[in-house]
Amino acid sequence: MSITSWNCRGIGHKRAIPILWDLTRSYKPDILFLSETMVNSNRIKDLCHILNFNHWYVVDRSGRGGGLALLWKDTFDITITQANPNYINVNVKDRNNIHWRLTGFYGYPERRKRKDSWDLLRHLASLSNLPWCIIGDFNDLLSSNDKKGTNPHPYYLIQGFRQATMDCGLEDLPLIGHPFTWIKGNLPNNLVEERLDRALATKDWHHLFANFLLSNGVAGKSDHSPITLKLQANLSNPLHKYFRFENIWLEDPDIERAVKYGWGYHNKEGVENKINSCKKYLRIWSRRKHVNLCKSIDILKLEMEKCRNAQGTTEWGLYFQLQHQLSH
């Protein structure tokens, strides 16, 4: 079972569906928490069906910004308990009948409101005695090591956030992979990286899920990277591979001929047989003429990881080129 959290910085654009589809393909979350969706519930409802989630809960955007969404599969029995523009709080019961609490959190980005975020954490801690995990974009740092580049983060903000987590009995879950989840700038002299996205949990939650793994990922859009918390190995059966028409085929001048040939233009068989024949031929045609798109995407992500870890002038320039290519 796994939980993915991502500050997507808006999913109303036309590329949102393929980006989110690839996100769920790569990290296979049973629960997906999105912050800064910048859309209303109707858009999330459509995405939920496309991404094969069974349930969803939405906090609509306020004005032109904000917005939260929680999508989940039947792997969990989830009950929404509280929600507002900064969090979605739920009680969880998994297949092993283990009860715990999950909060998807989005902290105030304005420095003058950081204290409000800390007080909000304390309020959430007081709501239940269940084992608790909270994940999301906190817009806060727990250590000076959570930032790289330009001016150091103010110590009073680090101390305030750290004290709030201690008051709540929360421990920071270690992040595997690149140590930062947010990036600003594209050159070494103006590049800033911070670990704004994280997961925290109480000790009793640690006892329930001792073998967790929190990893840092990459995505084709947003200045935030997605983080995924795996609680145990995924034991679900592999999904049946349905035929899907790839939009990139429309850019191939040979597609019309391929469809006509596969359809059997002069064949008088029934429509169902023609459709099946066309699907089979397009699969063969695609393998012959096009590289495997999923493999190409995975290779791009690996190259982005290498560039992000190298952190040289050339590497960062290449990183943003690869991110643009991945988004395309």
Side-chain angles (χ1 to χ4, degrees):
M1 302 177 189
S2 64
I3 305 161
T4 294
S5 170
W6 187 35
N7 182 330
C8 55
R9 297 300 303 273
I11 52 175
H13 55 91
K14 62 181 180 180
R15 290 184 177 176
I17 292 176
I19 290 172
L20 286 169
W21 178 267
D22 179 62
L23 187 79
T24 56
R25 179 193 69 87
S26 299
Y27 305 113
K28 298 177 175 58
D30 298 289
I31 299 176
L32 176 62
F33 174 66
L34 300 172
S35 57
E36 285 202 84
T37 60
M38 301 182 189
V39 296
N40 293 323
S41 56
N42 287 339
R43 176 64 170 171
I44 302 297
K45 181 180 179 180
D46 294 338
L47 285 174
C48 187
H49 293 302
I50 293 170
L51 301 177
N52 294 323
F53 285 92
N54 306 106
H55 312 279
W56 67 92
Y57 185 85
V58 177
V59 176
D60 284 344
R61 67 182 181 183
S62 177
R64 299 179 64 181
L68 307 176
L70 189 74
L71 288 66
W72 67 95
K73 298 182 178 180
D74 285 331
T75 312
F76 297 93
D77 181 11
I78 285 182
T79 303
I80 307 294
T81 56
Q82 298 90 17
N84 75 10
N86 294 94
Y87 66 84
I88 298 176
N89 197 44
V90 304
N91 288 343
V92 182
K93 183 172 72 173
D94 65 19
R95 289 174 176 173
N96 298 318
N97 206 33
I98 297 175
H99 294 253
W100 52 286
R101 180 163 61 119
L102 174 69
T103 303
F105 191 80
Y106 175 63
Y108 290 102
E110 304 91 347
R111 283 191 176 180
R112 60 185 173 83
K113 290 187 175 182
R114 296 294 168 80
K115 185 178 182 301
D116 295 335
S117 287
W118 307 333
D119 290 340
L120 193 54
L121 287 175
R122 295 184 178 97
H123 169 69
L124 286 167
S126 69
L127 295 176
S128 172
N129 292 322
L130 284 173
W132 184 30
C133 177
I134 179 169
I135 190 170
D137 174 12
F138 289 80
N139 278 310
D140 249 322
L141 308 183
L142 278 173
S143 164
S144 58
N145 294 326
D146 285 345
K147 180 174 181 177
K148 180 179 180 180
T150 65
N151 300 324
H153 197 68
Y155 185 69
Y156 78 93
L157 291 177
I158 293 175
Q159 277 294 95
F161 184 34
R162 187 181 296 169
Q163 186 61 53
T165 60
M166 292 173 61
D167 293 343
C168 297
L170 292 167
E171 298 177 1
D172 189 38
L173 304 188
L175 183 68
I176 304 300
H178 191 65
F180 308 105
T181 64
W182 175 80
I183 183 173
K184 181 181 180 181
N186 53 18
L187 295 174
N189 60 346
N190 70 353
L191 194 69
V192 179
E193 290 186 276
E194 295 180 346
R195 186 186 172 191
L196 301 180
D197 307 84
R198 61 192 341 117
L200 306 157
T202 55
K203 287 184 179 180
D204 48 359
W205 187 91
H206 279 268
H207 292 321
L208 289 178
F209 303 104
N211 297 319
F212 69 85
L213 180 67
L214 180 66
S215 59
N216 196 1
V218 293
K221 181 186 173 291
S222 179
D223 48 7
H224 288 257
S225 55
I227 58 174
T228 297
L229 178 61
K230 292 189 176 181
L231 305 183
Q232 64 182 54
N234 189 350
L235 301 178
S236 59
N237 295 323
L239 295 175
H240 176 71
K241 292 186 177 180
Y242 293 100
F243 172 81
R244 299 188 185 280
F245 189 97
E246 298 287 355
N247 286 335
I248 197 171
W249 293 349
L250 295 173
E251 299 180 9
D252 193 314
D254 192 41
I255 183 61
E256 183 176 355
R257 183 207 61 81
V259 170
K260 286 183 177 180
Y261 186 88
W263 181 262
Y265 192 67
H266 299 292
N267 194 326
K268 295 184 178 180
E269 293 181 355
V271 172
E272 185 175 352
N273 289 331
K274 286 177 174 287
I275 290 174
N276 290 330
S277 173
C278 191
K279 287 193 296 186
K280 290 178 182 178
Y281 182 75
L282 284 176
R283 283 196 180 103
I284 297 171
W285 173 81
S286 177
R287 284 197 295 267
R288 187 174 67 247
K289 295 208 61 176
H290 298 273
V291 297
N292 187 301
L293 295 179
C294 291
K295 286 184 179 179
S296 300
I297 288 170
D298 291 339
I299 290 171
L300 279 173
K301 288 182 176 179
L302 287 174
E303 292 299 319
M304 288 173 66
E305 291 279 6
K306 290 179 182 178
C307 292
R308 189 166 66 173
N309 293 332
Q311 298 190 2
T313 306
T314 305
E315 287 78 8
W316 276 119
L318 179 58
Y319 175 87
F320 290 112
Q321 291 178 21
L322 292 169
Q323 187 182 46
H324 178 75
Q325 189 176 349
L326 177 61
S327 179
H328 177 72

